[in-house]
Amino acid sequence: MQKIKPILVFTCFFLGFTCAAQDSTKKKIPIKIGGVLGITYEGYGLNMKPAGSGIYSPRRPWNQVRFMFAPTFTIGKNFSLPTNFNFATKATNFAGPYAGIKDQSIGQFITNPSNNFAINPTYKWAELQLGTQYLKYSDLSTGDIGIFGAGFDLKPNTYRIKFFTGISQQGIDYVATPLPGVTGAYQRTHWMFQLGKEREGKYSLAFNFSKGTDKKSSVKSPPLTVTPQEGFTASMVADVYFKRGWFIKSEAAQSYFTRDGLQPLSPKLNNSFKPFIDGRTSTGKDWAANGSIGKRSKKLDLSYTTKYIGAGFQTTGYPYLQPDRWDNTINTRFIAWKDKINVVASVGGRVNNVSNTSLQSNQFIANLNWFTQFSDRFSTNITYNNFGFTAASGTNPYGIKNISNDLGLTTTYTWSNTKQLNLLTFSYNLSKYDERDVSTGVQTSNNTHTFLLSYIPTFFTKELLPDFSVMYFHNTLPSVKNTLLTFSSSISSPAFKKKMMLRGQVQYTLGKLNTFTSNKNMIASANMDYKLAKKLTWNVFLSTNYFKYGDELAPPVSLDGANYLESTYRTGLQYKF
């Protein structure tokens, strides 16, 4: 409840101020309110044959109610109050009923990641941040997690002062049963602070400090496989922008991270940074840095970027940041051929396991988006992405390796006559995913080919909006071959003097796994948007998903013609003001 008090106090103050402003006869302050208010009910059903076989797991709660209240209050020229309350009555994340918490406390409810409670009153250069916030201070300090708490963002003249503190993770008790059980987690609190100076388009200098701490007493039954952790990170960001488009951007960071807070304090002084963190025997420190130099112009951008992440660098603000690597890329954007060609690309390499503790590998990094408008009717777009994760393992003899290469080609052709406009699109995507087994070292390759052909006619004299598509999907793994052929079509049309918009869609898929008999999947949906009033809309959505298995399931399930029928009903009201 302590976290709620600032919000309630401010809300009461704001409502009182609003009433006073409206009742004032001497000087009226202009007040504007805009935003969205809505409520949605969602019903879910699942029937399986054979009943109770568990061949398919439910994806949603059987009943769910969601509320949305996102207004923005503007008072005069200098004060605004963006508000976002978006929450569900039943928790659907790991801290919900599936983790044994059927009735959430108020604290669990407002800090649940599936909910969002945020108020951001702003007056000129000062912003107060209350509730759930996703804040990015820099690339190496914090910015990858949502935190429920309170803070501020001040920008007087060229100065920058930021602070925020709150909870990013709830404490959850370890539960052995029912299977598969609940791993559990410690409550994690955060604080972050930034002090800097910035002049837009000229320079930026900022010092960032962030810390995350797991509270040991937040659970009655401690997790068996999770240890309480603590981390502190300090970084400096320095960006300079010169004339004629030249720029230099950089950041350097130092982290102290404790992997097990249950270990004793360490007598070493080099792994402590008092008063922010006391080093333990499981505490390590390391550094990271990134930088880029380049030039920007109207039709050409060119830059060089480098990033180094030490083997022991870890920050609670980016919990999934891959350490122990060095990236170098050349980046460009250019426009050519009378503005008909637009290219955004980068190419370079990554050295994994720079510390050379075990396996070391070099990885090619590339990204490409090449668009060409050959004529008013014909255009193409080519994309290529190479990304992945490679790291040494401390417990297995072989390091982790997950590398993905994606190549895509899309061509579009349009033609028209006096009655309609036609759009024909063909796309092809090749995806190759390489993975290494950390225990055996065996590498496997997952290759996927996807072909998609779609046709969309637009009638000049009719209000029907149809579309048609066919997709072929072919995926191969060692000893596994999966093929899908999908036909889909939809149609939409206004009704009742355009107060209602109707849309229906049907999709049929034939799937084949290795030499088993084909499975069949039919998906149908219909939705309606009806304007009850100028600002009030009623939404209705219905869908059904019928899947019939071939004989790929193990007996005796496959002998019974196994299938499932999944259905969803959703209806709600939305008011724009």
Side-chain angles (χ1 to χ4, degrees):
M1 288 295 292
Q2 293 179 352
K3 292 292 183 182
I4 305 177
K5 289 182 180 178
I7 300 177
L8 295 177
V9 171
F10 182 84
T11 302
C12 294
F13 169 78
F14 171 76
L15 293 176
F17 178 82
T18 302
C19 294
Q22 289 176 336
D23 293 339
S24 175
T25 57
K26 295 182 179 180
K27 185 178 180 180
K28 293 184 178 180
I29 301 176
I31 300 176
K32 297 181 180 179
I33 303 177
V36 179
L37 171 67
I39 180 173
T40 302
Y41 167 78
E42 184 175 288
Y44 178 76
L46 178 63
N47 297 304
M48 288 179 287
K49 183 182 178 181
S53 60
I55 56 176
Y56 189 76
S57 300
R59 296 187 298 166
R60 301 181 181 91
W62 304 117
N63 297 281
Q64 180 69 281
V65 179
R66 300 179 187 275
F67 296 91
M68 178 178 61
F69 180 56
T72 297
F73 303 90
T74 303
I75 303 177
K77 297 181 180 180
N78 299 319
F79 183 82
S80 65
L81 181 65
T83 305
N84 185 8
F85 293 168
N86 196 325
F87 59 93
T89 56
K90 291 186 178 180
T92 57
N93 72 315
F94 63 91
Y98 305 109
I101 303 178
K102 296 181 180 179
D103 298 319
Q104 297 183 95
S105 66
I106 295 178
Q108 291 171 332
F109 179 72
I110 63 178
T111 60
N112 193 312
S114 66
N115 300 328
N116 189 298
F117 296 88
I119 301 177
N120 292 61
T122 303
Y123 180 75
K124 292 186 177 180
W125 45 261
E127 179 186 1
L128 183 62
Q129 299 164 333
L130 303 172
T132 305
Q133 307 285 336
Y134 292 83
L135 305 174
K136 179 179 180 180
Y137 279 15
S138 70
D139 292 334
L140 297 177
S141 61
T142 187
D144 201 27
I145 53 175
I147 302 175
F148 182 89
F152 55 80
D153 185 351
L154 308 179
K155 299 178 181 179
N157 199 3
T158 59
Y159 294 96
R160 304 292 181 262
I161 307 172
K162 301 179 182 180
F163 177 79
F164 196 83
T165 183
I167 299 173
S168 67
Q169 179 176 280
Q170 298 177 357
I172 303 172
D173 289 327
Y174 163 75
V175 181
T177 56
L179 294 175
V182 179
T183 302
Y186 293 94
Q187 182 189 86
R188 176 166 292 184
T189 59
H190 286 260
W191 66 259
M192 57 192 73
F193 173 71
Q194 181 185 94
L195 178 64
K197 189 175 175 63
E198 179 183 12
R199 187 179 295 275
E200 189 174 352
K202 297 293 184 179
Y203 64 86
S204 177
L205 178 65
F207 296 91
N208 304 297
F209 306 92
S210 66
K211 183 178 180 180
T213 305
D214 289 349
K215 189 176 180 180
K216 303 172 188 176
S217 60
S218 60
V219 291
K220 297 179 181 179
S221 178
L224 298 181
T225 58
V226 179
T227 58
Q229 299 177 338
E230 183 179 29
F232 173 77
T233 305
S235 80
M236 184 185 74
V237 177
D239 300 340
V240 183
Y241 303 91
F242 303 95
K243 294 181 180 180
R244 298 181 181 180
W246 288 95
F247 66 88
I248 298 176
K249 304 175 70 175
S250 63
E251 181 179 7
Q254 176 84 62
S255 75
Y256 297 80
F257 195 85
T258 300
R259 289 175 171 78
D260 187 354
L262 301 176
Q263 297 298 317
L265 294 173
S266 173
K268 299 179 181 179
L269 298 178
N270 61 350
N271 63 348
S272 295
F273 194 78
K274 295 183 178 182
F276 301 108
I277 185 170
D278 292 322
R280 298 182 178 272
T281 55
S282 61
T283 302
K285 71 172 185 177
D286 211 330
W287 66 282
N290 61 37
S292 61
I293 182 172
K295 186 179 187 301
R296 294 172 179 169
S297 63
K298 186 176 181 180
K299 292 191 176 183
L300 174 64
D301 295 348
L302 187 63
S303 65
Y304 163 73
T305 300
T306 183
K307 176 182 286 187
Y308 171 79
I309 310 294
F313 183 85
Q314 192 165 353
T315 170
T316 54
Y318 290 97
Y320 304 107
L321 183 68
Q322 179 186 347
D324 205 6
R325 60 185 172 95
W326 185 24
D327 297 354
N328 291 276
T329 58
I330 300 293
N331 317 285
T332 185
R333 177 199 64 87
F334 64 87
I335 300 174
W337 195 27
K338 297 181 180 180
D339 298 340
K340 293 182 178 181
I341 293 179
N342 193 323
V343 178
V344 178
S346 65
V347 62
R350 170 179 296 173
V351 180
N352 294 286
N353 189 24
V354 182
S355 59
N356 201 25
T357 55
S358 54
L359 296 176
Q360 189 177 88
S361 62
N362 294 306
Q363 180 183 335
F364 176 66
I365 300 176
N367 293 277
L368 172 68
N369 191 311
W370 185 309
F371 176 79
T372 304
Q373 186 74 46
F374 289 98
S375 66
D376 294 338
R377 295 184 176 183
F378 182 62
S379 65
T380 64
N381 194 74
I382 300 174
T383 60
Y384 174 76
N385 293 283
N386 171 275
F387 58 91
F389 180 86
T390 304
S393 175
T395 57
N396 296 294
Y398 299 96
I400 301 171
K401 180 181 180 180
N402 301 309
I403 305 296
S404 178
N405 288 272
D406 285 293
L407 174 65
L409 170 66
T410 301
T411 61
T412 301
Y413 184 75
T414 61
W415 73 97
S416 62
N417 51 41
T418 57
K419 294 183 178 181
Q420 67 185 65
L421 174 69
N422 304 279
L423 175 64
L424 186 67
T425 302
F426 171 79
S427 63
Y428 166 73
N429 182 265
L430 169 64
S431 179
K432 184 179 180 182
Y433 178 75
D434 297 318
E435 183 179 26
R436 179 171 58 214
D437 189 291
V438 297
S439 300
T440 64
V442 176
Q443 297 194 46
T444 58
S445 183
N446 186 336
N447 299 314
T448 302
H449 301 267
T450 306
F451 300 85
L452 176 65
L453 180 65
S454 63
Y455 170 64
I456 303 176
T458 302
F459 303 103
F460 298 145
T461 58
K462 300 178 182 180
E463 294 184 332
L464 295 176
L465 299 173
D467 64 73
F468 310 90
S469 66
V470 57
M471 183 188 74
Y472 176 77
F473 174 89
H474 183 73
N475 173 252
T476 57
L477 278 164
S479 70
V480 177
K481 183 171 67 173
N482 187 21
T483 303
L484 300 174
L485 182 62
T486 300
F487 302 91
S488 64
S489 178
S490 69
I491 187 169
S492 59
S493 175
F496 295 104
K497 297 181 180 181
K498 297 185 178 181
K499 289 185 177 182
M500 177 185 292
M501 177 60 71
L502 301 172
R503 188 175 189 272
Q505 183 175 14
V506 177
Q507 178 179 295
Y508 180 74
T509 301
L510 282 170
K512 190 170 179 60
L513 179 65
N514 291 342
T515 58
F516 296 108
T517 58
S518 299
N519 49 57
K520 302 173 180 63
N521 183 211
M522 172 69 78
I523 300 176
S525 65
N527 62 285
M528 175 202 74
D529 295 335
Y530 185 75
K531 275 197 171 186
L532 299 175
K534 185 178 180 180
K535 296 182 179 181
L536 182 63
T537 305
W538 176 32
N539 313 108
V540 177
F541 174 79
L542 300 168
S543 72
T544 181
N545 178 17
Y546 175 76
F547 190 96
K548 183 178 181 181
Y549 290 90
D551 56 2
E552 66 264 33
L553 297 179
V557 175
S558 60
L559 301 178
D560 298 328
N563 64 79
Y564 67 82
L565 178 64
E566 187 180 34
S567 57
T568 301
Y569 169 72
R570 185 168 62 244
T571 183
L573 295 172
Q574 187 177 89
Y575 180 77
K576 293 183 179 180
F577 50 88

